Amino acid sequence: MSDRVAVTSRVVAVFGAAGHTGRFVVAELLRRGIRPIAIARSADALAAANFREPEVLCRPATVDDEGSLLQALAGAGAVINCAGPFLDTADALAAAAVKLRIHYLDVSAEQPSVTTTLEKFDKPAREAGIAVIPGTGFYGGLADLLVTAVLGDWISADTIDILIGLDSWHPTRGTRVTGERNKATRMVVADGSLTPLPLPSAQKHWNFGAALGEQLVSEMPFSEIVLISRHVKTSELHTYLSTAALTDIRDKTTPAPQAVDSTGRSAQRFVVDVIARREGATRRIIARGQDIYAFTAPLVCEVVERLVRQQFSQAGAHAPGEILNAREVLTVLHPDHLEFEIAAS
């Protein structure tokens, strides 16, 4: 295992590399000195992405052709799946990663895909000596790491609220396709157990500070509920999202993100506010940044770099906060990609 990783640790495959988030991930790997294998559904899609060769290896593959996947992943130490809907891609990519004994990560916000990946691939990943970490994106992994960091020495919490403030949400094509595909009932933690989200969704006003001000938020759980509930004991776990962002994404005329700087980031601002309560005490962590799609790249690349460098030894399927030093990961992302602060009362 160690010899194999030593040979391939500076090569990471990106499935869905020609997509919006995939391009950010390829660029971030290059910035870190890691050689990407850009994988897309066709040679035409790769050509349109205009990746720099030979710095980026370009290989076409599809999830319905295992042979093409195995060939495309050859030589990599890990694969990052950026191609949603993950209900349609995660199973095939994770299975190929297990067969090749390379780490698997994805950036899924979809609760059903993350649940299935964790349950189905835990034992095979342990036997292969690799890590499988789904949901390592803005929706999912960020909140999982924030919750883990703010809990600190608390082994449990009475309640955890995650409040996500966005000044806008201009969805990518992938986000729209995923929304159409994923019609599963959303889950929350209530009375200590995963349970369907009550409808209509609860709403309340929340002040996100100077960055976004006061906003109306609606309960809207993503894959973080599945990830956090896997390793954190709490009676209540709920996620709220700006209703203005929900209005944007539900409007079919809302345009895709537009770049405003040389990195390709949009002007979108986000704030994630996490409140944990236990026996009358409160702990809070607030994270702020720009462009949820662009932010996903340094987050997932930081995690994958730790995997291929073997900075931990836990094989199997995990939430990121379950096996990583959450505060350390967040600190590395500060200040270039994320601002955060922790308070207690």
Side-chain angles (χ1 to χ4, degrees), residues 213-274:
E214 184 172 298
Q215 294 196 13
L216 179 66
V217 296
S218 300
E219 188 162 12
M220 180 58 61
F222 296 93
S223 57
E224 74 287 331
I225 300 295
V226 176
L227 297 171
I228 295 166
S229 64
R230 182 177 175 88
H231 65 105
V232 174
K233 183 179 180 181
T234 182
S235 297
E236 302 288 330
L237 174 60
H238 302 274
T239 300
Y240 298 83
L241 178 65
S242 302
T243 55
L246 289 171
T247 299
D248 280 347
I249 198 169
R250 289 167 178 167
D251 183 351
K252 294 183 179 180
T253 66
T254 301
Q258 298 296 316
V260 296
D261 63 27
S262 61
T263 69
R265 293 187 302 177
S266 72
Q268 180 195 52
R269 304 298 302 184
F270 67 78
V271 177
V272 182
D273 197 348
V274 175

Side-chain angles (χ1 to χ4, degrees), residues 27 91 132 222 236 311:
D91 194 84
V132 169
F222 296 93
E236 302 288 330
Q311 294 182 355

Side-chain angles (χ1 to χ4, degrees), residues 99-318:
K99 183 168 288 189
L100 292 174
R101 296 179 179 269
I102 66 174
H103 303 298
Y104 171 87
L105 303 90
D106 68 38
V107 296
S108 175
E110 305 161 37
Q111 291 186 341
S113 73
V114 169
T115 299
T116 299
T117 300
L118 290 170
E119 293 177 351
K120 182 174 181 178
F121 290 100
D122 184 44
K123 182 179 178 181
R126 291 178 189 276
E127 293 173 347
I130 63 166
V132 169
I133 309 182
T136 314
F138 174 82
Y139 291 114
L142 175 58
D144 177 54
L145 291 168
L146 290 170
V147 166
T148 306
V150 78
L151 289 181
D153 59 350
W154 284 4
I155 61 173
S156 64
D158 296 330
T159 66
I160 300 172
D161 287 331
I162 302 162
L163 301 112
I164 302 172
L166 304 178
D167 60 1
S168 63
W169 189 356
H170 289 228
T172 64
R173 178 182 177 276
T175 297
R176 291 204 180 278
V177 172
T178 297
E180 290 297 320
R181 173 72 172 86
N182 181 21
K183 300 298 185 182
T185 300
R186 294 178 183 266
M187 307 296 285
V188 299
V189 174
D191 295 325
S193 301
L194 282 169
T195 187
L197 170 69
L199 296 176
S201 298
Q203 292 187 325
K204 59 183 175 182
H205 289 273
W206 192 260
N207 193 326
F208 288 98
L212 298 180
E214 184 172 298
Q215 294 196 13
L216 179 66
V217 296
S218 300
E219 188 162 12
M220 180 58 61
F222 296 93
S223 57
E224 74 287 331
I225 300 295
V226 176
L227 297 171
I228 295 166
S229 64
R230 182 177 175 88
H231 65 105
V232 174
K233 183 179 180 181
T234 182
S235 297
E236 302 288 330
L237 174 60
H238 302 274
T239 300
Y240 298 83
L241 178 65
S242 302
T243 55
L246 289 171
T247 299
D248 280 347
I249 198 169
R250 289 167 178 167
D251 183 351
K252 294 183 179 180
T253 66
T254 301
Q258 298 296 316
V260 296
D261 63 27
S262 61
T263 69
R265 293 187 302 177
S266 72
Q268 180 195 52
R269 304 298 302 184
F270 67 78
V271 177
V272 182
D273 197 348
V274 175
I275 312 293
R277 298 179 178 87
R278 179 173 179 260
E279 298 177 354
T282 299
R283 289 181 177 179
R284 182 180 188 182
I285 185 168
I286 305 172
R288 307 177 187 89
Q290 179 179 345
D291 191 333
I292 61 176
Y293 297 109
F295 171 76
T296 288
L299 173 59
V300 72
C301 289
E302 177 62 29
V303 175
V304 81
E305 189 165 13
R306 289 167 184 266
L307 295 183
V308 297
R309 287 183 176 178
Q310 294 191 1
Q311 294 182 355
F312 74 98
S313 59
Q314 290 180 273
H318 303 285

